[in-house]
Amino acid sequence: QVQLVESGGGVVQPGGSLRLSCVASGTFVNIHSMGWFRQAPGKGRELVATIPPAGSPDYLDSVKGRFTISRDNTKNSIYLQMNGLTPEDTGVYICSAAARVTSWSNWRDFWGRGTQVTVSS
């Protein structure tokens, strides 16, 4: 199985920055795309950014130009640099990964527990 652990959340003022980290551990053969979702109170989960093993990332329109997702395959980790934060960015940020636990198993989505980001003055 794959365990995903996020870190880096916190409370920040509007216009501030945070850097989230997510590391994957456990027993797996391959990890394909990884990404960040967020869930605000009373709202559904939305995809913030994804990044393939190699190639260009993709972003939610509202975070383009402010957020940057990056990946270190040697550490099975992804990061989310968030600049210019607004109260609308508040939510639980959840790491996800598409992985195979054996060479013959199907790809599955795994999820972390999330890290809270609060943007408030």
Side-chain angles (χ1 to χ4, degrees), residues 8-20 66-67 80-86 89 117-119:
V11 180
V12 64
Q13 292 186 341
S17 298
L18 284 174
R19 185 173 187 258
L20 306 183
R66 299 187 298 122
F67 291 10
L80 187 67
Q81 177 65 44
M82 305 186 293
N83 300 326
L85 286 161
T86 73
D89 296 316
V117 171
T118 302
V119 185

Side-chain angles (χ1 to χ4, degrees), residues 22-57:
C22 171
V23 59
S25 63
T27 304
F28 51 89
V29 175
N30 302 104
I31 296 179
H32 195 258
S33 290
M34 298 183 73
W36 290 96
F37 287 73
R38 70 185 178 191
Q39 186 154 17
K43 295 185 178 180
R45 187 174 293 186
E46 64 178 351
L47 177 61
V48 176
T50 60
I51 186 166
S56 299

